[in-house]
Amino acid sequence: MERFKTERISGDVVTSERTEPAETRPIWLDKGGRTVKVIDQRKLPHEWIIADLETVDDAIDAIKSMFVRGAPLIGVTGAWGVYLAVRNTSSQQALIDECSRLKLARPTAVNLVWAVDKVLVDVLSARDADGRLQAARRGAEDLAEEEAENCRLIGVHGLPLIEKLAACKGGQAVNILTHCNAGWLACVAYGTATAPMYAAHEQNIPIHVWVDETRPLNQGARLTAWELGEAGIPHTVITDNAGGHLMQERMVDLVLVGTDRTTCTGDVANKIGTYLKALAARDNGVPFYVALPSSTFDWSTKRGKDIPIEERDPDEVRYVQGWEDGAMHTVLVPPEASPAANYAFDVTPARLVTGFITERGICGASEADIRQLFPEKRA
Amino acid sequence: MERFKTERISGDVVTSERTEPAETRPIWLDKGGRTVKVIDQRKLPHEWIIADLETVDDAIDAIKSMFVRGAPLIGVTGAWGVYLAVRNTSSQQALIDECSRLKLARPTAVNLVWAVDKVLVDVLSARDADGRLQAARRGAEDLAEEEAENCRLIGVHGLPLIEKLAACKGGQAVNILTHCNAGWLACVAYGTATAPMYAAHEQNIPIHVWVDETRPLNQGARLTAWELGEAGIPHTVITDNAGGHLMQERMVDLVLVGTDRTTCTGDVANKIGTYLKALAARDNGVPFYVALPSSTFDWSTKRGKDIPIEERDPDEVRYVQGWEDGAMHTVLVPPEASPAANYAFDVTPARLVTGFITERGICGASEADIRQLFPEKRA
């Protein structure tokens, strides 16, 4: 990534030196407190572009257009969106209206509504006008830190699973299959599905990760492969079609994925294609775990089929972005005249899930097990 | 194979006039009898390139590099390869050696060995040197015609399945999901999985086809979508990840695929990812049919796990070809340093297959049912 550019979402591209926080995170407030900075994940790993968010519309666009993505990061971006709303609005009603728009940016990840409400309702409702900006900033910062810590704890609680598998492998690498990107780029730090991988790698437990490329936007091939490569974790990119064969051939010891929303009964909405891997895991006796912070549980939805599944622009399927001759290109694959459909998520029913790895520990995929771990959560 | 006549389908550059047989087929002998012509399927639908095969090495390269692909067409190309071998060799031993090399061009499709042996052994062994060239030509032509007729009959026998589903749809389209390309480009005419679709379309039965793009080489998005579009059959390109969700949502009435090799017990080797769709079909009660001519049955292999699964160049996964600004481009998706793996096929166990559609009719996915339809076949 020698190509460092900064651009404003709604402005012209300005070339400048690489801007990065001290510790690499996908979102942060710049020193002046005026601009929220995000890594533009659409261009990774080939281009490193930092986008400036200065308004609620910038935040909505960053979420909708997937500059930022991943349930925890969508939530944190929503929290920073509330901060931007406070900066740019004068009345309480205007703030509420801006937050309502923000919550609609994408429908599936429950973290967005949760995070916006957490700052708007829990943090700001008791504040008078004077302290609100500072409080909103503190609210977003706290929420980001909390999610980072939750992910660290997911690593702590997921590590023993990998240790146990490693104990049966006689020194050979534990093969973990993951789908899409549930790494630090999708969260704030550590990632959800990747946190136990990092924890195992730090303990010198040999692991190897099968990275589903994850069509249509290739978050696995582009983001997960890049994160794992930067961390020195052995990995191999595969097509989304390959996981079933690998499981049949006993080349996968564990499937570990994130989720965009999980019902309190254990049905898991995640990137489209997750359900197919869960079916293959079940058919081959491979454990299938979902890693998530509690912010991704939907405490009021009982049935996975009630989770709204986003349908995105079919051109995300028809066109593929990649790197050629020192520049990004966007190429058309099917015939110009052929239509496409682009459902972004599917729902893996709880019956196919071995367990959840959360910041409080591991639990089974049933409402009783989940609520036992989070007894304070009400529907 | 540098002797291409080129017409760019999507572009305005025409380097020569389009060469085509009277009836479009993916392979034919030119009028002079010297050159076997094939459509270069790697560039479709964006470029129309005809490649000339003049030697066995040309035929091997066309099969290996996937100018031609699809089990029946690989077989027919093998048969024409024998013709080219006869043209270019003088001794019987040299001919046998050339045919042995030809049979190794790709490992999974059983049609290759079957077709080469059919011309070499059944047709040529009783011939003296004088009549061999003419006999080999006749052998390849007959085999191609036989496969075309088999595919036509697959359409005849598959049509009632679609008719039955249509009867329950109250005038709405029957939604058929297919994986990869099992159309006329993969065969000689009609296709295998597509033959019943063409038959239904001709009968004015409304159908709509979900076309899996089929990574890594996108034969679904590039070839099946193009074939269906040319035939005026409504279709929608989807990612390979999407089929499970569509089946959960009752948006698929029938899964219909081809196969590269099916054991006499009913285990189905087909393009990687087929197994995942079969699992989803079973989980959602969607009928899963495999269409094949008898040349694709492996009468001597009992277990799917004994079918050799080809591993191809990982760069087929890492790079994507497509059309931009009037030219083909090849773009890199994952980080340059990330390795990839490229298993080309998987095996769907017979227990997940509802039935086989063959040139003799439909049968269940068991050795008894298959052998009842083909009693003359010996292991």
Side-chain angles (χ1 to χ4, degrees):
Chain A
M1 291 209 299
E2 299 100 296
R3 300 161 290 280
F4 308 137
K5 280 191 273 184
T6 305
E7 76 172 355
R8 286 178 55 151
I9 285 182
S10 42
D12 293 327
V13 175
V14 181
T15 304
S16 74
E17 76 232 45
R18 177 160 172 170
T19 352
E20 235 182 312
E23 176 194 359
T24 305
R25 289 191 165 183
I27 190 166
W28 66 97
L29 188 68
D30 77 351
K31 284 172 193 149
R34 197 169 158 276
T35 309
V36 176
K37 304 256 184 192
V38 297
I39 300 171
D40 180 356
Q41 301 190 23
R42 301 169 310 164
K43 306 293 178 177
L44 289 176
H46 303 295
E47 289 186 317
W48 177 270
I49 296 175
I50 305 300
D52 292 357
L53 316 184
E54 300 192 342
T55 65
V56 170
D57 282 313
D58 286 347
I60 290 171
D61 192 27
I63 294 169
K64 265 189 203 287
S65 305
M66 297 178 67
F67 285 62
V68 294
R69 20 69 52 205
L73 181 57
I74 288 172
V76 173
T77 307
W80 280 116
V82 180
Y83 168 80
L84 294 171
V86 172
R87 263 181 49 94
N88 298 322
T89 55
S90 48
S91 77
Q92 178 68 10
Q93 189 53 51
L95 175 62
I96 290 168
D97 292 347
E98 287 291 83
C99 288
S100 297
R101 290 203 303 125
L102 193 54
K103 287 193 271 191
L104 295 173
R106 288 189 76 190
T108 303
V110 73
N111 305 57
L112 179 57
V113 171
W114 169 83
V116 169
D117 281 344
K118 189 149 179 173
V119 180
L120 178 67
V121 180
D122 298 359
V123 175
L124 293 182
S125 58
R127 295 277 172 172
D128 58 19
D130 286 350
R132 288 198 309 174
L133 187 64
Q134 191 58 30
R137 174 179 173 159
R138 186 62 180 272
E141 282 172 348
D142 286 353
L143 190 138
E145 288 310 314
E146 192 185 317
E147 289 297 61
E149 175 63 6
N150 285 342
C151 286
R152 190 186 69 78
L153 289 168
I154 287 169
V156 169
H157 295 302
L159 174 60
L161 272 182
I162 299 177
E163 284 175 330
K164 257 183 232 165
L165 292 166
C168 309
K169 297 278 293 187
Q172 284 197 302
V174 175
N175 285 300
I176 303 170
L177 184 143
T178 192
H179 190 68
C180 199
N181 173 261
W184 65 264
L185 283 164
C187 303
V188 177
Y190 306 101
T192 52
T194 54
M197 301 176 198
Y198 288 124
H201 188 62
E202 271 173 29
Q203 299 292 315
N204 293 314
I205 296 168
I207 64 169
H208 165 261
V209 184
W210 296 109
V211 179
D212 277 1
E213 60 179 5
T214 317
R215 290 279 297 141
L217 292 178
N218 295 313
Q219 292 96 331
R222 295 188 301 105
L223 307 179
T224 305
W226 179 67
E227 288 178 351
L228 295 174
E230 295 275 305
I233 296 178
H235 64 280
T236 304
V237 176
I238 51 173
T239 63
D240 302 308
N241 284 323
H245 172 69
L246 295 177
M247 291 189 230
Q248 287 177 311
E249 295 293 314
R250 307 277 154 231
M251 291 160 82
V252 179
D253 301 302
L254 171 67
V255 181
L256 194 43
V257 298
T259 165
D260 294 82
R261 183 190 301 219
T262 289
T263 66
C264 55
T265 57
D267 291 342
V268 175
N270 191 40
K271 180 56 54 192
I272 190 95
T274 303
Y275 165 56
L276 295 170
K277 295 304 139 65
L279 286 168
R282 173 55 51 97
D283 201 44
N284 293 284
V286 176
F288 182 94
Y289 279 89
V290 179
L292 74 169
S294 54
S295 56
T296 304
F297 278 113
D298 181 339
W299 300 103
S300 62
T301 297
K302 292 264 189 187
R303 302 185 310 171
K305 64 191 306 183
D306 293 332
I307 297 174
I309 299 298
E310 180 180 11
E311 211 180 327
R312 294 182 59 84
D313 186 344
D315 278 352
E316 292 182 349
V317 173
R318 288 158 35 86
Y319 291 86
V320 177
Q321 270 206 354
W323 191 253
E324 186 192 47
D325 292 338
M328 290 300 284
H329 289 263
T330 303
V331 301
L332 174 70
V333 174
E336 184 66 57
S338 285
N342 185 10
Y343 300 92
F345 305 96
D346 62 22
V347 176
T348 298
R351 67 184 152 86
L352 299 177
V353 178
T354 309
F356 295 109
I357 311 172
T358 79
E359 71 268 24
R360 293 206 188 150
I362 293 181
C363 68
S366 73
E367 182 161 11
D369 284 5
I370 295 167
R371 291 206 185 269
Q372 193 170 16
L373 214 51
F374 298 94
E376 77 281 15
K377 302 289 182 184
R378 296 284 159 83
Chain B
M1 288 195 295
E2 304 295 308
R3 303 158 294 278
F4 299 152
K5 289 182 178 174
T6 305
E7 174 180 321
R8 292 178 183 250
I9 288 178
S10 304
D12 44 13
V13 183
V14 180
T15 56
S16 78
E17 75 208 52
R18 182 159 168 166
T19 348
E20 241 182 308
E23 175 194 0
T24 305
R25 290 193 164 184
I27 190 166
W28 67 97
L29 187 68
D30 77 351
K31 284 172 194 148
R34 196 168 159 277
T35 308
V36 176
K37 305 257 184 190
V38 297
I39 301 171
D40 180 356
Q41 301 190 23
R42 302 169 309 165
K43 306 293 179 179
L44 288 176
H46 303 296
E47 290 184 319
W48 178 270
I49 296 174
I50 305 300
D52 293 356
L53 316 185
E54 300 193 342
T55 66
V56 170
D57 283 311
D58 286 349
I60 290 172
D61 191 29
I63 294 169
K64 266 190 203 285
S65 307
M66 297 177 67
F67 286 62
V68 294
R69 20 68 51 205
L73 180 57
I74 288 172
V76 172
T77 308
W80 280 115
V82 179
Y83 168 79
L84 294 172
V86 171
R87 264 183 48 92
N88 297 321
T89 55
S90 48
S91 77
Q92 177 68 9
Q93 189 54 49
L95 175 62
I96 291 169
D97 293 346
E98 288 291 82
C99 288
S100 298
R101 291 201 303 124
L102 193 55
K103 287 192 270 189
L104 295 173
R106 289 189 76 191
T108 304
V110 73
N111 305 58
L112 179 57
V113 171
W114 169 82
V116 169
D117 281 343
K118 189 149 181 174
V119 181
L120 178 67
V121 180
D122 298 0
V123 175
L124 293 183
S125 58
R127 295 275 171 176
D128 58 20
D130 286 350
R132 287 198 309 172
L133 187 64
Q134 191 57 30
R137 174 180 175 159
R138 187 62 180 273
E141 283 171 347
D142 286 352
L143 190 139
E145 289 310 314
E146 191 185 318
E147 289 297 62
E149 175 63 6
N150 285 342
C151 287
R152 190 186 70 77
L153 290 168
I154 287 170
V156 169
H157 296 301
L159 175 60
L161 273 183
I162 300 177
E163 282 176 329
K164 258 183 229 164
L165 291 166
C168 308
K169 298 278 293 186
Q172 284 196 302
V174 175
N175 285 300
I176 303 170
L177 184 143
T178 193
H179 191 68
C180 200
N181 173 261
W184 65 264
L185 283 164
C187 304
V188 177
Y190 306 101
T192 52
T194 55
M197 302 177 197
Y198 288 124
H201 187 63
E202 270 174 30
Q203 299 292 316
N204 293 316
I205 297 168
I207 64 168
H208 164 262
V209 184
W210 296 108
V211 179
D212 277 0
E213 60 180 7
T214 318
R215 291 278 296 140
L217 292 178
N218 296 312
Q219 292 95 332
R222 295 189 301 105
L223 307 179
T224 305
W226 179 67
E227 288 178 352
L228 295 173
E230 295 276 305
I233 296 178
H235 64 281
T236 304
V237 176
I238 51 173
T239 63
D240 302 307
N241 284 323
H245 173 70
L246 296 176
M247 291 188 228
Q248 287 177 312
E249 296 292 315
R250 306 277 154 231
M251 292 159 83
V252 179
D253 301 302
L254 170 67
V255 180
L256 194 43
V257 298
T259 166
D260 294 81
R261 182 192 301 218
T262 289
T263 66
C264 55
T265 57
D267 292 340
V268 176
N270 192 39
K271 180 56 54 192
I272 190 96
T274 303
Y275 166 55
L276 295 170
K277 295 304 140 61
L279 286 168
R282 172 56 52 96
D283 201 45
N284 293 284
V286 176
F288 181 95
Y289 279 89
V290 179
L292 74 169
S294 54
S295 55
T296 304
F297 279 113
D298 179 340
W299 301 103
S300 62
T301 297
K302 292 264 187 185
R303 303 185 310 172
K305 64 190 308 181
D306 293 333
I307 297 173
I309 299 298
E310 181 180 10
E311 210 179 329
R312 294 183 59 84
D313 187 344
D315 278 353
E316 292 182 350
V317 173
R318 288 159 34 87
Y319 291 85
V320 176
Q321 271 207 353
W323 190 254
E324 187 193 47
D325 290 338
M328 290 300 284
H329 289 263
T330 303
V331 301
L332 174 69
V333 175
E336 183 66 56
S338 286
N342 187 10
Y343 299 92
F345 305 95
D346 62 21
V347 176
T348 298
R351 66 185 152 85
L352 300 176
V353 177
T354 310
F356 295 108
I357 311 172
T358 78
E359 71 267 24
R360 292 208 189 148
I362 292 181
C363 69
S366 72
E367 183 160 9
D369 284 7
I370 295 166
R371 291 205 185 269
Q372 193 169 18
L373 214 51
F374 297 94
E376 77 281 18
K377 300 289 181 183
R378 296 284 159 87

